[in-house]
Amino acid sequence: MDPESEVPHSVKVTPLQQVLASCTGAVLTSLMVTPLDVVKIRLQAQSNPFSKGKCFVYSNGLMDHMCICEEVGNKAWYKKPGNFQGTLDAFLKIIRNEGIKSLWSGLPPTLVMAVPATVIYFTCYDQLTAVLRSKLGENETRIPIIAGIIARFGAVTVISPLELIRTKMQSKKFSYKELHQFVSKKVSEDGWISLWKGWASTVLRDVPFSAIYWYDYEILKKWLCEKSCIDEPTFMISFTSGALSGSFAAIVTLPFDVVKTQKQTQLWTYENCKFKAISMPLHMSTWVIMKNIVAKNGFSGLFAGLVPRLIKIAPACAIMISTYEFGKAFFQRQNVQ
C-alpha cells in the first residue's frame, strides 16, 4: 500500500503547511508548463511577427499574463529568429542554439503574481472546505463548489490590481515614484474601482472553472480511492483526477477564456495607443464580444484554441494538485510523529 494512504484522515495539516505545499506545487508547475507556452509564443512570433505595442498572452501554467511587445529588432526573447518547423523542432533548436534556460524566458517576473495567487487560492480552498464540512457534514457534495467559488473570487480580487500595475510597469518602464503617481492619478480620476479593470472578465472565466474543477476533482478522487480500496489519494490518483477535471473545466469555460483574452488585448492596446489618438471600443461587455465573435466566426469561434488550452491546462492542473496533495500527505506524516 502506498505510504500516503497510511496517514489517518483525522490528522490536520496547518495553514502554514498548506502554504508551503501550494507554493512548492506552484513553482514546480510553472517550471514544467512554461516551456510549452514559450515554444508556442516563439512559433506565433515566427508566423506573425510581433510589432511594437502588440499584446500577447504569456502563461506560466498558473496564470495568464498580458505582455506588450516594446523591443525593436530581435533583442527580446520572443523575437529571436529560429526557423522552426514545428513544436518539437522548436524545442530542440531553442535548447541547441540558445541554451536550455531559454525555455523559461520571461518566467521570473510572472511568478511574483502567480505564486502568491496560487497560494491564496489553494490555502483558502482547503480552509473553507474544512469549515463547511464541520457545518454541513463530510459528504455534502456542494462543498467543493462553494469553497472553489469563494477561494477563486478572493484570489482574483487580490491579484487584479497588482497585475494591472505589473503590466503598466512593463509597458511604460515606470520608476516606482512614477508608478505611485500613475496609481494616484488613476484613482483620483476614475475611482478605486478602476484598479480592478478586467476583473469581471477574469471572474467570469476563473470562477466557473474553479467550481467545475473542484467538484469533478473531489468526485473523481473519491471514486478512484474507493476503487483502489484506500482512504487517501496516491500521487497518481491526484494526478489523474486533476488532469481529467481540469480538462473538462477548460472545455466548458473556453468561451469565457476567448472573450477574456480579446478584452485584455483590446484594453492594453488602447492603453498603449491612446496618446496617439487611436480610438478603440473600451466598454464592450462580455456578451457583446461573444455576439461579435459568433457573428464573425460562428459558434465555433467561441471554442477557438481548444487544443492548445487543453495541452496547457491538463498538465498544469495535474502537476499542481498532485504536488499539493503529496506535500500535504508529507506534512501529515510529520505531524503524526
Side-chain angles (χ1 to χ4, degrees), residues 25-51:
V27 172
L28 188 60
T29 301
S30 63
L31 290 175
M32 298 286 283
V33 177
T34 295
L36 296 172
D37 210 58
V38 167
V39 168
K40 184 196 77 174
I41 291 168
R42 292 290 295 274
L43 288 168
Q44 285 176 341
Q46 178 178 276
S47 60
N48 186 20
F50 296 158
S51 57

Side-chain angles (χ1 to χ4, degrees), residues 131-165:
V131 171
L132 290 169
R133 279 178 177 161
S134 67
K135 303 288 185 183
L136 304 175
E138 286 286 329
N139 298 317
E140 175 54 65
T141 56
R142 292 171 297 175
I143 288 175
I145 298 174
I146 299 168
I149 287 173
I150 297 173
R152 181 53 80 183
F153 254 117
V156 170
T157 302
V158 169
I159 293 299
S160 281
L162 301 178
E163 178 63 9
L164 180 87
I165 291 168

